[in-house]
Amino acid sequence: LADLFTRIKGTLLFLFIPCLCSGKAAPPLLRFSSFLDPSNMAYLRWDHDEQEMIIFELQVRTPGWVAFGFSPHGELPGSDIVIGGVFPNGSIYFSVS
């Protein structure tokens, strides 16, 4: 299970790089989706392939930043977290911890 979360963490970094480098990247075809909150502010799409590669797309209506985490036990300690946002000047940042 820990190996899966390590691969997920690498996948997220891989997904964010095309978004930052290419203005015309085709959106991936993702079969599964769900709103993560009752006010429909956070929308998650995902899919997986035969090699157990998982692809995520997170859409969040926020003026600042968003964090998305993975944990084998549902708690913050020991989880993998991606934080991203937009600076006031419009530049985008992502960080993985």
Side-chain angles (χ1 to χ4, degrees), residues 2-94:
D3 184 49
L4 175 63
F5 288 107
T6 301
R7 284 188 274 158
I8 290 171
K9 186 174 175 180
T11 301
L12 288 173
L13 286 176
F14 178 74
L15 286 177
F16 293 140
I17 291 169
C19 294
L20 295 174
C21 299
S22 173
K24 296 186 179 185
L29 299 175
L30 305 175
R31 296 177 290 171
F32 309 101
S33 64
S34 180
F35 282 100
L36 302 179
D37 64 317
S39 60
N40 295 342
M41 299 288 282
Y43 183 64
L44 179 65
R45 295 176 55 216
W46 71 95
D47 205 344
H48 60 88
D49 63 16
E50 297 79 27
Q51 293 82 28
E52 298 182 9
M53 175 75 73
I54 301 173
I55 300 171
F56 291 94
E57 176 184 291
L58 182 61
Q59 300 175 10
V60 181
R61 282 187 267 164
T62 178
W65 60 274
V66 65
F68 188 70
F70 299 94
S71 169
H73 44 73
E75 296 178 3
L76 184 60
S79 64
D80 293 319
I81 300 172
V82 176
I83 300 171
V86 179
F87 288 115
N89 67 1
S91 63
I92 300 169
Y93 66 90
F94 287 100

